[in-house]
Amino acid sequence: VRHIMRSRMIPWLRSNRLGIVSYAGAAFDQAYLTDDYKALDWVVGEGMTMTSAPGEGSCIADALLLACRYFDTDSPPNHQRIVVVFSDG
């Protein structure tokens, strides 16, 4: 996933703001919506680890709710929105 995000997704979506939420037992903000692609590349390459999100498990519902809150608080209402989910199971 890290390779795909760094080599394809971030470059391909350069005209958009991106945010990153990781999840395990709980959801965790990795990066709020931003157009700072160097910072996002660092988060994906260096900041995210197997233990970045707290707890054990797969609380995908909390991650989706947190991602939707990004849109509610930090995105104009007339903009299109998309959530991409990567999961190990």
Side-chain angles (χ1 to χ4, degrees):
V1 170
R2 181 176 300 196
H3 173 72
I4 291 169
M5 289 180 71
R6 292 180 89 184
S7 66
R8 294 186 182 174
M9 290 188 71
I10 292 173
W12 186 64
L13 295 168
R14 285 237 180 237
S15 62
N16 298 280
R17 295 186 312 148
L18 305 174
I20 300 172
V21 174
S22 62
Y23 65 95
F28 183 74
D29 296 303
Q30 291 288 342
Y32 293 104
L33 289 176
T34 184
D35 58 2
D36 185 345
Y37 303 109
K38 285 186 179 186
L40 285 169
D41 187 64
W42 183 89
V43 168
V44 172
E46 306 295 329
M48 289 176 61
T49 65
M50 294 296 289
T51 59
S52 293
E56 294 182 15
S58 186
C59 200
I60 193 168
D62 286 352
L64 290 171
L65 287 171
L66 184 55
C68 288
R69 277 192 227 126
Y70 283 0
F71 297 143
D72 291 342
T73 60
D74 204 20
S75 184
N78 62 336
H79 283 193
Q80 293 181 351
R81 298 155 177 87
I82 187 169
V83 173
V84 178
V85 176
F86 292 101
S87 174
D88 64 353

